Structures are given as structure tokens and as C-alpha cells.
């Protein structure tokens, strides 16, 4: 009996150690698909963020320059959507969840979304969509929703509700996905509260036609403000060079960062299709 008990305890200990080693060895990464569409490998799960999967030029122009998206996908759609565990949606503007995503995604896929978009996912038949008011625990991954401010003044009222999300898990870096937001005290306090290892920021400097002086997401200057308050976090800037109403480019953001002596060790500006390995 004692021998059987000892063997049982050893097996339990070995299984626990194997689980710990699995968690530590699981690759954590962020791959920029295009615009704000990301593939995130986190805690052994494949997460698709804000899928805009349409081919180039099938959506209307938002700045009177050219139709959107302005570039094609560099990854095949089947590769983007295969073996997905979760779709994380900050809001359902068409550059974050488009008609192609509605058609391509399995309607039974787990979707995490903000309260304002509950009816949208019900309408389109997504049977496993979950509203996050504050926080949920999903497969040992804590997902906290953060209110975002998609512009200011009259423009903010036009843009509606948007959110960001913070991902936390044991043996994983903490990742703050800011979403479509301008720089605010809410973003600053979220960084201070969660002390993230990585911040993914939409830095395209987008605007609404007719309101050119009011950015609806961070531009070069606001991204620098975020970096100044980012603590230990590395900042990954996306949402550039895919939509005609985004004025900030990878080149202009890099040049602005150089003015503040901010290098690639702090600010990462990925190309479409590029994968970034995240570490603690």
C-alpha cells in the first residue's frame, strides 16, 4: 500500500512538472497579418484578433483617396483561420471585423467581444460569442477588457464604443492590446495597473473625412506619449499602411521615434506577415 501511494505521488509530481515545462516551453508570439489583424500564440492557444480578411480594394474609401484595404493579405486565409481557439474582437468596424470574416469564420468558434457588439454577433449567427464586461478566465488565460476612446469630442460620438484587452497567464508575458484608441489617462492608468511586458498599439493616425484635425487612433506624437509612460514594456505598433484614412506610416513613425532616441529595442514596427516572439 505504501509503495503504491509513493508511486502515485511520484506520478502526480511528474505530471505537474511536465505541465509546468509545457507552459514554459510554449512559444508566445504575435504575428501581424495586416492592419490591426493579429495572430497571437499565447498559453498554447491560437488567438485571432480583429480579423479584416477582405482582398484589396473591395471596401469603400474613407478618405477619398483609394478603396480599402489598400494592400492585399500576405498570408493565405486558410492559414490564418485554421486551428483557431479564439477570436478576440475590440469592436466591429469593418477594418476590424469585415464581411469576409463573417463568411469565413466558423460560426461555432469562441468569440470574445465588448458589450456594445453583442447584438452584432447574435445577428450573424456566432453561437459561441461571449461578452466581457470586465474580466473572464479562459483556459487559464485572464482576459480583461479596457474601455478605449476612439477619438474625441464630436468625432468620439460618431465612432462609438471600442475596447482594448489585457492578456495575463502563468509563465506568459502580460500583453496589452490597446485597440482603436487615442492617448488618454485611461490608457496610462491601464499601463500602470497591469505593468505589461508588451503593448500593442494602433498607431496609424487615422481620421474621419471632414475632421482632419481629430485623430481617431494614435499618431506619431501620441505613440511617443505612450512610449514615455510604457515602463518596462516593449511597444509593438500596427494599424499602418493598409487603409486610406491612416496618415502615419512605418517610416514616419520610425523617424519620430529617432527624434526621441527610441530604437527598435523599445519600439517594434512589424511588416505584414512578420512574427514577433514574445518573452518574459
Amino acid at each position: 500500500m505504501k509503495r503504491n501511494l509513493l508511486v502515485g505521488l511520484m506520478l502526480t509530481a511528474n505530471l505537474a512538472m511536465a505541465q509546468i515545462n509545457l507552459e514554459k516551453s510554449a512559444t508566445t508570439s504575435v504575428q501581424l497579418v495586416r492592419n490591426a489583424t493579429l495572430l497571437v500564440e499565447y498559453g498554447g492557444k491560437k488567438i485571432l484578433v480583429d480579423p479584416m480578411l477582405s482582398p484589396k480594394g473591395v471596401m469603400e474609401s474613407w478618405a477619398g483617396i483609394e478603396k480599402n484595404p489598400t494592400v492585399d493579405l500576405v498570408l493565405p486565409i486558410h492559414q490564418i483561420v485554421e486551428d483557431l481557439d479564439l477570436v478576440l474582437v475590440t469592436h466591429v468596424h469593418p477594418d476590424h471585423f469585415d464581411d469576409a470574416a463573417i463568411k469565413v469564420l466558423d460560426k461555432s468558434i469562441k468569440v470574445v467581444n465588448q458589450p456594445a457588439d453583442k447584438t452584432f454577433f447574435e445577428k450573424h449567427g456566432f453561437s459561441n460569442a461571449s461578452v466581457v464586461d470586465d474580466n473572464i478566465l479562459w483556459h487559464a488565460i485572464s482576459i480583461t477588457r479596457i474601455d478605449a476612446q476612439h477619438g474625441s469630442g464630436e468625432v468620439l460620438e460618431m465612432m462609438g464604443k471600442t475596447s482594448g484587452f489585457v492578456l495575463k497567464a502563468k509563465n506568459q508575458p502580460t500583453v496589452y492590446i490597446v485597440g482603436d484608441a487615442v492617448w488618454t489617462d485611461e490608457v496610462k492608468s491601464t499601463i500602470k495597473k497591469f505593468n505589461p511586458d508588451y503593448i500593442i498599439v494602433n498607431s496609424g493616425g487615422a481620421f474621419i473625412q471632414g475632421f482632419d484635425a481629430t485623430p481617431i487612433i494614435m499618431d506619431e506624437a501620441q505613440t511617443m506619449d505612450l512610449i514615455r509612460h510604457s515602463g518596462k514594456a516593449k511597444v509593438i505598433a500596427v494599424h499602418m499602411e493598409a487603409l486610406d484614412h491612416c496618415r502615419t506610416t512605418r517610416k514616419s513613425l520610425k523617424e519620430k521615434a529617432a527624434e526621441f532616441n527610441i530604437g527598435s529595442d523599445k519600439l517594434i514596427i512589424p511588416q505584414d506577415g512578420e512574427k514577433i516572439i514574445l518573452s518574459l
Side-chain angles (χ1 to χ4, degrees):
M1 178 66 74
K2 287 184 178 179
R3 186 175 183 278
N4 288 341
L5 179 61
L6 179 60
V7 170
L9 289 172
M10 290 176 65
L11 285 172
T12 301
N14 288 338
L15 286 171
M17 185 59 68
Q19 179 63 32
I20 290 171
N21 289 336
L22 178 62
E23 289 174 352
K24 287 182 177 179
S25 63
T27 299
T28 304
S29 65
V30 170
Q31 184 175 23
L32 174 60
V33 175
R34 179 184 58 186
N35 197 50
T37 305
L38 311 169
L39 283 172
V40 180
E41 296 282 351
Y42 194 88
K45 301 298 180 182
K46 182 180 178 182
I47 303 171
L48 176 62
V49 180
D50 284 359
M52 179 180 69
L53 304 178
S54 295
K56 177 181 176 180
V58 302
M59 293 191 283
E60 65 181 335
S61 166
W62 297 320
I65 300 171
E66 61 180 306
K67 289 187 175 182
N68 292 300
T70 60
V71 294
D72 278 316
L73 289 167
V74 299
L75 301 174
I77 288 181
H78 72 84
Q79 181 180 328
I80 297 168
V81 302
E82 69 183 356
D83 299 324
L84 282 178
D85 296 297
L86 175 68
V87 180
L88 188 63
V89 183
T90 64
H91 64 300
V92 293
H93 288 168
D95 59 322
H96 293 260
F97 202 95
D98 62 0
D99 287 343
I102 293 170
K103 293 174 183 176
V104 169
L105 291 172
D106 190 316
K107 293 299 191 293
S108 66
I109 188 72
K110 177 70 174 177
V111 178
V112 166
N113 55 276
Q114 63 176 359
D117 297 329
K118 180 176 185 292
T119 302
F120 175 92
F121 288 104
E122 289 176 347
K123 173 185 175 183
H124 290 290
F126 287 90
S127 59
N128 199 14
S130 297
V131 166
V132 178
D133 290 304
D134 179 32
N135 173 272
I136 63 168
L137 189 64
W138 174 77
H139 290 282
I141 299 172
S142 170
I143 303 175
T144 301
R145 188 182 68 84
I146 309 297
D147 284 326
Q149 186 173 315
H150 200 356
S152 57
E154 183 181 353
V155 167
L156 178 58
E157 293 181 14
M158 296 166 62
M159 297 308 295
K161 296 287 187 181
T162 62
S163 296
F165 294 97
V166 177
L167 305 181
K168 286 177 64 73
K170 184 179 180 181
N171 297 320
Q172 297 288 308
T174 298
V175 179
Y176 176 21
I177 301 168
V178 179
D180 271 8
V182 293
W183 175 247
T184 61
D185 287 340
E186 177 79 9
V187 176
K188 186 192 301 185
S189 64
T190 299
I191 295 169
K192 185 175 181 179
K193 177 181 178 181
F194 289 94
N195 192 26
D197 299 286
Y198 293 88
I199 301 170
I200 302 173
V201 56
N202 294 351
S203 295
F207 66 99
I208 294 178
Q209 198 168 9
F211 296 86
D212 294 20
T214 307
I216 56 176
I217 58 175
M218 294 188 213
D219 55 12
E220 297 94 337
Q222 290 192 13
T223 302
M224 295 306 108
D225 287 334
L226 180 145
I227 291 172
R228 280 195 291 271
H229 294 88
S230 62
K232 68 179 182 182
K234 291 186 177 182
V235 176
I236 302 172
V238 298
H239 205 309
M240 288 172 284
E241 299 179 23
L243 303 171
D244 77 329
H245 71 323
C246 288
R247 291 178 288 194
T248 299
T249 65
R250 293 177 173 96
K251 182 175 183 289
S252 68
L253 185 61
K254 187 174 181 180
E255 288 173 349
K256 177 61 72 172
E259 294 177 17
F260 292 87
N261 296 314
I262 297 167
S264 58
D265 58 328
K266 182 65 174 179
L267 174 62
I268 302 166
I269 309 173
Q271 298 295 317
D272 291 354
E274 183 176 349
K275 181 182 287 189
I276 300 158
I277 303 301
L278 309 186
S279 60
L280 283 168

